[in-house]
Amino acid sequence: MNVPFFLARRYFFSRKKYNAVNIISGIAVCGIMLATAAMICTLSVFNGFQDLVATLFTNFDPELKVVATQGKVFNPKESRISRIHDMDEIEVWCETLEEQAMLKYKDRQTMCILKGVESNFKQLAQIDSILLGQGDFKLTDETARISYGVLGVDLTSKLNCGLYFTGPMEVYAPKRNAHINLTNPSLAFNRNYFYSPGSVFIVNQEKYDSNYTLVPLSFARKLFNYTNEVSAIEIKLKPGSNVRSVQKTIQETLGNHFLVLNRYEQQADAFKIMKIEKLMSYIFLTFILTIASFNIIGSLSMLIVDKKHDMNTLKSLGADHQTITNVFLYEGRLITLIGATLGILLGLSLCLAQQCFGIIKLGTNGHFIIDSYPVNVESVDVLLVLITVILIGFLSSWYPVKFLTSKMISVS
């Protein structure tokens, strides 16, 4: 039988001589429990928001995107690029061209990112799910020989053009390698027109809604003075394909002159900010947990004073200093483990309730794309919280037990 653990368990559940010891022990367990639950819930909410952002990007960003490491454009007909075009895992292959341009509608104008795409972009990005308006995703009309452009919803507000603008939208882009004519600056710009198909897209992300306009690839090439160059090749994989495996294969085939980016890497800045925010929250909650663990110090200190007579009895029975010290070390570990276990159960219960019932709402004015805080519990986070709580709890009980037991035993 482990005598120190047996005595620690008896001390934890039995009534003490001073009722305050029981109260402080209960407060210590509650403090650890609440801090642990707070960490579980907070980290899970960050996971939920990250998943939500990833879902929104899914409707616009491709699964894989090939870009050049040097320069803005490249030739998609290169032999090494052609080798990956016929890979079995690829379902949609879409060439795109992005450049800065200026939009002008009547007396309003604004800068935008003009993105030329092929006709199969509709299958690549599932854009029908993010369209607003009565129109379809339509970029060309071969009969009328006109081009259409689909704007981000915030761009329509800047231009005050509505979902279906009546007149043509003017597009200006500087001519490549052209010098500005001070007498007539307009000669340094290419100009073209497109019309509205009666719809706009909304991704609920400022980067796209405020900046992007989708036009036919041929329209963009003509405006920017390109022939067959592209700025990226966007790829959709067949269902069941391993994204990381295909990404690695394509990267090895293309070499160092190209980058193959998955969705998270395409939005590296946004996800990096979210990870930093999650890390800072973890550090802040760990600090709160450390403060809560001071209750363990108070509880053990009073317990050692309360059990001074028992310590003398154990010493008389032949118990050495380490055995007596272990009794109170086990007491501190019991407080930590019970508090951590209850905290994890409480945190998981709250997260489950939030997932099922959406108890905590984001707002009631309808301005949010979801009604309640998103939650996603990850086992890695639960394990991290458990290790953090145990480490801090064990360290909090080690010093006071070592110091006070030595002092009490030496005095007796």
Side-chain angles (χ1 to χ4, degrees), residues 5 17 40 86-87 102 118 122 138 149 158 166 184-185 190 211 226 241 250 266 270-271 296 320 393 404 407:
F5 177 74
K17 183 186 303 182
I40 292 289
D86 298 324
M87 290 180 61
M102 188 188 78
E118 293 186 287
K122 182 177 181 179
K138 183 179 181 181
K158 293 178 182 179
T166 54
N184 189 0
N190 290 326
N211 297 294
Y226 289 116
S241 300
I250 295 176
Q266 292 169 48
F271 287 108
I296 299 177
D320 57 12
L404 290 175
K407 187 174 182 180

Side-chain angles (χ1 to χ4, degrees), residues 19-134:
N19 193 45
V21 180
N22 291 308
I23 296 175
I24 295 177
S25 296
I27 292 174
V29 172
C30 290
I32 298 295
M33 177 186 69
L34 294 176
T36 303
M39 294 181 75
I40 292 289
C41 293
T42 302
L43 296 180
S44 298
V45 168
F46 274 103
N47 294 335
F49 276 113
Q50 183 170 317
D51 291 345
L52 175 64
V53 172
T55 302
L56 295 177
F57 289 152
T58 298
N59 293 326
F60 200 89
D61 292 330
E63 287 184 277
L64 293 176
K65 185 175 183 179
V66 179
V67 296
T69 55
Q70 295 181 346
K72 294 189 295 183
V73 296
F74 60 91
N75 186 353
K77 306 303 180 183
E78 290 187 26
S79 58
R80 52 187 164 183
I81 296 178
S82 300
R83 287 200 300 270
I84 67 173
H85 186 279
D86 298 324
M87 290 180 61
D88 294 335
E89 295 86 351
I90 296 177
E91 180 176 351
V92 180
W93 174 285
C94 181
E95 298 177 1
T96 64
L97 178 63
E98 292 184 20
E99 285 279 5
Q100 290 278 350
M102 188 188 78
L103 299 180
K104 182 180 179 183
Y105 182 74
K106 295 182 179 179
D107 59 341
R108 294 200 177 194
Q109 60 188 34
T110 186
M111 296 300 297
C112 78
I113 298 176
L114 199 72
K115 181 172 182 175
V117 300
E118 293 186 287
S119 57
N120 62 353
F121 184 78
K122 182 177 181 179
Q123 289 76 37
L124 175 86
Q126 301 175 359
I127 197 168
D128 284 342
S129 63
I130 56 175
L131 285 182
L132 290 179
Q134 300 299 319

Side-chain angles (χ1 to χ4, degrees), residues 286-310:
T286 301
F287 178 71
I288 295 177
L289 175 64
T290 303
I291 295 176
S293 67
F294 282 117
N295 290 312
I296 299 177
I297 298 176
S299 175
L300 292 177
S301 300
M302 294 191 67
L303 181 64
I304 292 171
V305 174
D306 183 59
K307 300 301 180 182
K308 180 180 178 181
H309 178 72
D310 291 1

Side-chain angles (χ1 to χ4, degrees), residues 121-332:
F121 184 78
K122 182 177 181 179
Q123 289 76 37
L124 175 86
Q126 301 175 359
I127 197 168
D128 284 342
S129 63
I130 56 175
L131 285 182
L132 290 179
Q134 300 299 319
D136 298 325
F137 182 72
K138 183 179 181 181
L139 296 179
T140 57
D141 188 334
E142 297 296 339
T143 303
R145 294 185 179 181
I146 59 176
S147 298
Y148 295 98
V150 182
L151 281 67
V153 65
D154 290 342
L155 272 179
T156 62
S157 299
K158 293 178 182 179
L159 296 168
N160 195 28
C161 60
L163 295 179
Y164 194 90
F165 38 89
T166 54
M169 180 74 69
E170 297 182 55
V171 191
Y172 294 86
K175 294 179 179 179
R176 295 173 59 208
N177 304 320
H179 298 286
I180 296 179
N181 188 329
L182 297 179
T183 305
N184 189 0
S186 63
L187 295 177
F189 293 86
N190 290 326
R191 183 177 68 170
N192 211 333
Y193 306 89
F194 65 78
Y195 295 83
S196 170
S199 58
V200 297
F201 66 83
I202 176 170
V203 189
N204 290 302
Q205 214 274 342
E206 185 178 359
K207 174 183 176 181
Y208 296 119
D209 294 346
S210 302
N211 297 294
Y212 273 76
T213 298
L214 301 177
V215 295
L217 180 59
S218 57
F219 180 96
R221 281 173 172 164
K222 182 179 179 180
L223 183 70
F224 299 127
N225 296 125
Y226 289 116
T227 53
N228 60 351
E229 294 88 345
V230 298
S231 57
I233 294 174
E234 302 186 358
I235 298 172
K236 179 182 179 181
L237 302 180
K238 294 180 180 178
S241 300
N242 188 311
V243 177
R244 291 193 178 276
S245 177
V246 176
Q247 179 185 12
K248 183 179 179 181
T249 301
I250 295 176
Q251 185 66 73
E252 292 174 349
T253 303
L254 296 180
N256 297 329
H257 296 287
F258 294 90
L259 285 178
V260 184
L261 308 174
N262 58 34
R263 284 192 177 112
Y264 286 93
E265 291 168 340
Q266 292 169 48
Q267 302 295 336
D269 292 339
F271 287 108
K272 187 179 294 183
I273 291 173
M274 296 187 71
K275 288 181 179 179
I276 292 174
E277 291 175 341
K278 182 178 177 180
L279 176 62
M280 295 305 298
S281 298
Y282 166 76
I283 294 173
F284 179 72
L285 290 170
T286 301
F287 178 71
I288 295 177
L289 175 64
T290 303
I291 295 176
S293 67
F294 282 117
N295 290 312
I296 299 177
I297 298 176
S299 175
L300 292 177
S301 300
M302 294 191 67
L303 181 64
I304 292 171
V305 174
D306 183 59
K307 300 301 180 182
K308 180 180 178 181
H309 178 72
D310 291 1
M311 292 167 61
N312 292 330
T313 302
L314 290 171
K315 185 178 180 182
S316 300
L317 292 173
D320 57 12
H321 178 272
Q322 187 59 47
T323 300
I324 297 174
T325 300
N326 287 341
V327 172
F328 299 101
L329 285 176
Y330 278 123
E331 179 78 12

Side-chain angles (χ1 to χ4, degrees), residues 365-380:
N365 50 15
H367 292 167
F368 299 96
I369 58 175
I370 53 175
D371 296 328
S372 56
Y373 279 90
V375 173
N376 178 26
V377 180
E378 293 186 359
S379 57
V380 175

